[in-house]
């Protein structure tokens, strides 16, 4: 018995915007409390059953400035809060939402980048998004930023004989590498395959939402390019996904 996966629709592209503002209150000339109010309709996480995109408590935003990591914001009760340390007025505040995935050790003032894996999407979907403040950091005042997705939300139609094992598809970019020293967002993000480029979605049949990273078009996969438990099948073709494109259909 085989498992077959077909790409049905790319229903959310790479440039869906989320608006918010940040109130920055400096102290000790080094650290600043950051409050990011995401406002009505500003969203980043995804319900894999419906495709609805919403923030949830515990969501994180990594903040960089002048090429290095300076702090982290955590979503709670409608807003992101956190502290940035040592931010320079010569640059903007750069906000990275990396799907709440492990980034390794980040040290304020010295870490110049990180990488995250989006391979495991069984429980939650790792939306990757970015923005920088529209005004350079000056230690006080109100800042505005527009978050842009750096990934695509794709709906798969899944048919599998396994009720319990997650459905795994091969050949996709599943790693995001972020370079904080790159001031251009396109240059700051790069994408690559780790291992076989596996992405694992939740068990079961029917419509499944999956985050895909920018990559070249993939032709239909051979037997073994998709599997669920001991059931092996093939992956359907995947269209090219370009950074900052909006794909529909």
């Amino acid at each position: 018995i085989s498992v077959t996966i077909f790409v049905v629709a790319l229903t959310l592209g790479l440039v869906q915007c989320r608006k918010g503002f940040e109130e920055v209150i400096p102290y000790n000339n080094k650290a600043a409390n950051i409050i990011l109010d995401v406002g009505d309709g500003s969203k980043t996480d995804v319900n894999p059953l419906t495709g609805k995109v919403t923030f949830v408590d515990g969501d994180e935003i990594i903040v960089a400035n002048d090429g290095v990591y300076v702090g982290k914001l955590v979503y709670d009760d409608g807003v992101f809060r956190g502290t940035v340390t040592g931010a320079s007025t010569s640059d903007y505040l750069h906000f990275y939402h990396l799907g709440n995935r492990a980034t390794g050790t980040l040290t304020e003032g010295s870490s110049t980048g990180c990488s995250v894996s989006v391979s495991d999407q069984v429980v939650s979907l790792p939306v990757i998004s970015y923005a920088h403040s529209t005004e350079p950091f000056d230690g006080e005042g109100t800042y505005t930023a527009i978050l842009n997705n750096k990934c695509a939300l794709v709906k798969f139609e899944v048919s599998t004989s396994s009720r319990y094992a997650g459905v795994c598809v091969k050949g996709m970019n599943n790693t995001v590498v972020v370079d904080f020293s790159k001031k251009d967002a396109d240059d700051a993000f790069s994408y690559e395959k780790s291992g076989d480029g596996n992405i694992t979605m939740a068990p079961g049949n029917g419509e499944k939402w999956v985050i895909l990273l920018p990559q070249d078009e993939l032709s239909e996969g051979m037997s073994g390019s998709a599997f669920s438990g001991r059931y092996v099948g093939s992956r359907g073709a995947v269209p090219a996904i370009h950074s900052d494109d909006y794909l529909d259909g």
Side-chain angles (χ1 to χ4, degrees), residues 156-234:
F156 282 74
E157 182 68 28
V158 174
S159 177
T160 174
S161 298
S162 176
R163 297 169 52 193
Y164 306 105
V167 180
C168 184
V169 293
K170 292 185 176 182
M172 263 76 74
N173 285 339
N174 58 3
T175 300
V176 183
V177 180
V178 182
D179 186 345
F180 300 148
S181 68
K182 302 291 187 180
K183 301 302 176 66
D184 186 298
D186 289 336
D187 296 334
F189 287 81
S190 59
Y191 312 92
E192 59 189 38
K193 294 180 179 66
S194 176
D196 292 329
N198 291 344
I199 291 180
T200 305
M201 62 188 80
N205 296 301
E207 295 180 350
K208 304 288 184 182
W209 293 90
V210 181
I211 293 301
L212 294 186
L213 303 174
Q215 63 183 43
D216 294 334
E217 179 181 359
L218 297 176
S219 59
E220 183 177 351
M222 298 185 299
S223 178
S225 61
F227 56 90
S228 178
R230 63 187 180 89
Y231 300 102
V232 177
S234 59

Side-chain angles (χ1 to χ4, degrees), residues 39-51:
D40 183 31
S42 300
K43 305 164 183 179
T44 57
D45 202 14
V46 181
N47 182 329
L49 298 179
T50 65

Side-chain angles (χ1 to χ4, degrees), residues 12 16-22 36-46 52-57 59 61 75 77-80 97 127 129 131 144-149:
L12 181 66
Q16 297 298 290
C17 297
R18 297 88 167 85
K19 298 181 179 179
F21 66 88
E22 301 81 58
L36 172 61
D37 184 346
V38 297
D40 183 31
S42 300
K43 305 164 183 179
T44 57
D45 202 14
V46 181
K52 184 178 180 181
V53 185
T54 55
F55 283 119
V56 296
D57 286 351
D59 277 349
I61 287 179
Y75 188 74
D77 196 24
V79 297
F80 283 93
H97 179 73
V127 172
S129 56
T144 299
I146 299 174
L147 291 176
N148 294 319
N149 284 346

